[in-house]
Amino acid sequence: MNGLADEDLALLLLIRCFERKLLALFAQGELNGTTHTCLGQEYVPVSLRPLLRDSDWIFSNHRGHGHYLARFDDPEGLLAEIMGRKGAVCDGVGGSQHLRRGRYLSTGVQGQSLPVAAGVALHLKRHEPGALACAYIGDGTWGEGAVYEALNMAALWRLPLLVVVEHNGIAQSTPTSAQMAGTVAGRAAAFGVRHHALDDLDVAAVRREVAPLIEEARTDPGPLVLEFRTHRLGPHSKGDDVRPPGAPLIDWYAAYRAAHPAQSARIEAAAHDRVERVAAEVAARPPASWGGS
Amino acid sequence: MRVGENLNRALHGLLRDDSSVYVLGEDILDPYGGAFKITKGLSERFPDRVLATPLSEGAIAGAAAGLALAGEKAVVEIMFGDFAALAFDQIMNFAAKSVTMYGRRVPMPLVVRCPSGGHRGYGPTHSQTLQKHFLGVPGLSLFEVTPFHDNRAVLDRMLALGEPCLLFEDKVLYTRPMYGEGAVDELFAWRPVDDVAVVELADGGDPDYTLIVPGGLVHRAVSAMRTLLLEHDLAGALLVPSRLHPFDPAGVPELVPLLARTGLVCVAEDGTAGGTWGEHVAAGLHTRLWGTLRRPVALVSSAPSVIPTAVHLEREVLVQDTTIRSAVLEGLHG
């Protein structure tokens, strides 16, 4: 794999360490409710980070911690949200999968964000040309009718809508082969929507490959579906992985660490320490207070 | 002026006065102008902000919420209010929740117009009045068009709330005239109290009974009141709120005498019986006015049934003026 700038690797490993810490906190009974980690998929939002602008809107989903941390260097606010502590991004009301900060917004219902993103994209096209609405969805999301209603509308109205599909091959417990007839590419083609699939896990290669496509989506508005064929290393939420133990899982970081051991060790140690400090500091905060309904 | 024309003019005025307003819906462009012609002329005048959509109620509501999120305002037409079921997730789980679920209030100026009600032979899936399915959703207000409330003021109020609103519009009402100031007919007069239109006998006095109905039932209610007066010597008052939910008539001091010093309060609505708006209003009145109410609040709904297409069968299921009259007589004397 190509070497990464320290900054990129630091962000990737911040996300990884953050997610690992969440699973550990759950195991210790320190967290309430549920969470969905993006272990293995960290490189997707990190690759896209320099290609997205502050003026772009980002719509995230249930598996969104990486999306948030790639947008905001704010593990404190995110963990406080998940732990219900003071300083939480959304006062502890939204939790892991309902975050809003500026032009970043996540929702917990599959497919729900795409029509909303289309509406935002309509506004952007008219008032802020060049900006786009980026919505992260998964392979399972393609079972929802809202996806097709929104794609149709966005294609008809030529809206600057970037749909990032994190196709990790498994929807909660259901493999893609058991829940999707045909392909994402075929479905995009049916609407005359641009589609590009990537298997690469290399951040620099991904950026090279998608940068001109995203630029085109800005200057020649219309939806673009970027399908990352990626790999979910962890469970759907926590302790609910029914895949056979020992099944081979593809991990970008295993490959990277093998190729760049010294840099990896140094930056992973720093990321680990940072997350530990954040967790200790946030856990000691008082409960979040909500101004009310 | 007819109610439909008043609503059409309200939309014209809204689009003219506020360049952030969009109107979205199916078949709303000229020359068609919408299935009920309420959007007539809008697209010719405001082609950039009056958008005809695919048949995608979920995406229409979602895109409208997206516009609202981005700082615009949106008015959605659901061709038949029955189809709001197709937009339920966007309305209930996104637009309404977004107002508060992100910790700090997110303004969501969004109106979903729902042409509703029967008496036109459109059958089980094109004749319903679905208020009860949207009751009690945090962050969601329900309004209904009435022949008393100017629709421009109602639209302005809904958008100013900064939370999604459903506007129910009885299809039969579109062709009925708006009541001007004061007179309803030679017997009854009306006046606004808070957001409630109060219809009473022109010569006043405490009523024998008080009706509470949404706008779509006004003409049937007034017809029942005429008969009750002329044939049974019973004087009635009628309360018609613009906002159906939240709605707390006992919280309006000027309305309390009409509720507490009357022989019977009866809430009538077009929704099917069971888990209704009227039951919710009645529960509030029982709680607030316990000890002063003379009798339990009487309820009138459509039958707990699908709404048949054939005219004679539809009539048996839907609320008629005679249904209201019978409920009042039974409530007072039964």
Side-chain angles (χ1 to χ4, degrees):
Chain A
M1 294 180 93
N2 287 310
L4 287 161
D6 279 2
E7 183 196 4
D8 285 328
L9 186 58
L11 179 53
L12 285 159
L13 293 177
L14 172 70
I15 298 169
R16 173 138 318 188
C17 292
F18 186 92
E19 299 288 56
R20 281 190 188 142
K21 185 65 184 176
L22 284 187
L23 291 176
L25 289 169
F26 261 110
Q28 294 159 18
E30 297 292 325
L31 295 189
N32 182 42
T34 192
T35 196
H36 309 88
T37 64
C38 66
L39 293 165
Q41 303 177 187
E42 301 92 339
Y43 69 93
V44 177
V46 174
S47 297
L48 293 175
R49 195 172 86 103
L51 308 179
L52 296 175
R53 304 173 182 167
D54 288 345
S55 55
D56 295 335
W57 284 68
I58 295 186
F59 291 86
S60 177
N61 57 5
H62 62 297
R63 204 175 299 290
H65 304 156
H67 309 151
Y68 180 83
L69 293 172
R71 179 80 162 187
F72 305 107
D73 182 34
D74 181 29
E76 297 85 356
L78 179 58
L79 186 61
E81 184 64 35
I82 295 166
M83 297 187 82
R85 296 295 203 280
K86 198 170 171 56
V89 184
C90 296
D91 294 345
V93 182
S96 168
Q97 51 188 342
H98 313 96
L99 298 172
R100 177 176 175 271
R101 180 169 168 184
R103 294 186 168 200
Y104 178 98
L105 182 140
S106 65
T107 64
V109 177
Q110 290 297 312
Q112 187 184 62
S113 69
L114 273 190
V116 179
V120 167
L122 175 60
H123 166 84
L124 293 175
K125 178 178 180 170
R126 293 175 173 207
H127 297 286
E128 300 177 50
L132 55 76
C134 165
Y136 287 94
I137 65 173
D139 39 300
T141 318
W142 290 83
E144 299 291 353
V147 172
Y148 306 94
E149 292 193 6
L151 270 186
N152 182 51
M153 199 177 266
L156 278 172
W157 296 351
R158 305 205 57 75
L159 301 179
L161 174 66
L162 171 62
V163 180
V164 177
V165 186
E166 294 174 304
H167 188 163
N168 59 23
I170 184 163
Q172 191 149 340
S173 72
T174 306
T176 298
S177 59
Q179 65 90 7
M180 184 186 286
T183 61
V184 172
R187 294 170 185 214
F191 292 95
V193 165
R194 292 170 287 200
H195 167 272
H196 185 78
L198 303 91
D199 291 301
D200 218 318
L201 310 180
D202 184 303
V203 168
V206 168
R207 284 178 183 160
R208 271 198 307 276
E209 198 169 332
V210 304
L213 302 173
I214 293 176
E215 191 53 33
E216 186 190 2
R218 295 183 190 282
T219 53
D220 177 19
L224 165 64
V225 175
L226 285 183
E227 179 185 3
F228 287 80
R229 289 197 275 253
T230 186
H231 310 276
R232 193 189 87 197
L233 293 180
H236 164 67
S237 51
K238 70 253 190 217
D240 61 353
D241 204 335
V242 293
R243 293 174 291 189
L249 294 171
I250 295 172
D251 179 7
W252 66 267
Y253 185 48
Y256 189 85
R257 191 171 43 201
H260 306 279
Q263 185 201 22
S264 298
R266 171 169 56 86
I267 290 181
E268 185 180 346
H272 176 81
D273 289 350
R274 183 179 178 197
V275 168
E276 289 299 321
R277 280 197 309 276
V278 166
E281 189 269 312
V282 169
R285 294 183 187 181
S289 55
W290 182 29
S293 55
Chain B
M1 187 191 301
R2 296 181 195 280
V3 172
E5 188 185 352
N6 177 271
L7 185 53
N8 173 257
R9 286 194 186 186
L11 290 167
H12 272 276
L14 189 62
L15 283 158
R16 178 196 64 216
D17 296 342
D18 187 341
S19 64
S20 70
V21 171
Y22 284 70
V23 175
L24 297 88
E26 298 161 6
D27 299 293
I28 63 172
L29 298 192
D30 297 315
Y32 191 69
F36 298 100
K37 313 304 170 198
I38 301 303
T39 57
K40 204 159 188 57
L42 297 180
S43 69
E44 278 187 2
R45 230 175 127 190
F46 310 100
D48 292 342
R49 292 182 287 127
V50 178
L51 305 177
T53 65
L55 307 191
S56 306
E57 285 78 5
I60 299 167
L67 284 167
L69 197 61
E72 314 273 18
K73 302 183 183 78
V75 178
V76 163
E77 175 172 302
I78 302 288
M79 185 186 286
F80 283 83
D82 313 62
F83 310 158
L86 290 160
F88 194 65
D89 178 64
Q90 288 292 346
I91 294 168
M92 191 273 282
N93 268 330
F94 184 74
K97 285 202 171 48
S98 292
V99 176
T100 55
M101 79 170 169
Y102 296 109
R104 271 130 283 183
R105 199 169 172 86
V106 177
M108 190 62 71
L110 166 62
V111 173
V112 180
R113 297 181 38 238
C114 298
S116 299
H119 308 282
R120 294 184 57 147
Y122 292 150
T125 64
H126 289 59
S127 306
Q128 300 169 90
T129 306
L130 295 184
Q131 287 100 339
K132 70 178 181 182
H133 300 293
F134 293 92
L135 274 180
V137 177
L140 183 66
S141 285
L142 311 186
F143 287 74
E144 180 153 328
V145 166
T146 90
F148 303 106
H149 297 85
D150 176 63
N151 285 296
R152 177 62 197 275
V154 175
L155 284 169
D156 286 346
R157 180 181 174 201
M158 288 189 289
L159 291 172
L161 280 176
E163 66 179 44
C165 297
L166 297 190
L167 179 62
F168 293 92
E169 305 169 1
D170 190 292
K171 299 188 280 275
V172 172
L173 211 53
Y174 289 147
T175 55
R176 297 295 195 110
M178 294 291 291
Y179 291 114
E181 273 184 36
V184 169
D185 57 22
E186 77 283 7
L187 292 176
F188 298 104
W190 77 277
R191 61 194 165 96
V193 176
D194 201 64
D195 108 313
V196 179
V198 177
V199 180
E200 294 166 299
L201 270 179
D203 58 6
D206 282 350
D208 296 306
Y209 66 92
T210 297
L211 299 174
I212 304 176
V213 307
L217 271 130
V218 164
H219 297 91
R220 282 167 277 165
V222 170
S223 169
M225 289 164 73
R226 287 182 71 86
T227 309
L228 287 163
L229 181 71
L230 300 176
E231 297 181 11
H232 302 273
D233 200 27
L234 292 169
L238 170 65
L239 311 186
V240 185
S242 171
R243 184 178 182 165
L244 299 182
H245 187 84
F247 172 53
D248 176 24
V252 182
E254 208 181 325
L255 295 179
V256 170
L258 291 172
L259 300 164
R261 290 210 300 268
T262 186
L264 173 76
V265 177
C266 174
V267 187
E269 66 191 307
D270 270 320
T272 51
T276 63
W277 173 74
E279 290 173 6
H280 184 76
V281 173
L285 291 171
H286 289 150
T287 304
R288 298 282 296 247
L289 301 176
W290 191 254
T292 53
L293 286 174
R294 301 270 295 278
R295 291 179 175 81
V297 173
L299 295 171
V300 173
S301 300
S302 294
S305 161
V306 300
I307 300 167
T309 307
V311 63
H312 64 293
L313 299 176
E314 185 189 45
R315 194 182 301 124
E316 286 174 19
V317 165
L318 295 180
V319 173
Q320 310 294 330
D321 55 356
T322 50
T323 329
I324 299 171
R325 184 185 65 197
S326 301
V328 169
L329 291 173
E330 192 175 316
L332 286 171
H333 307 305

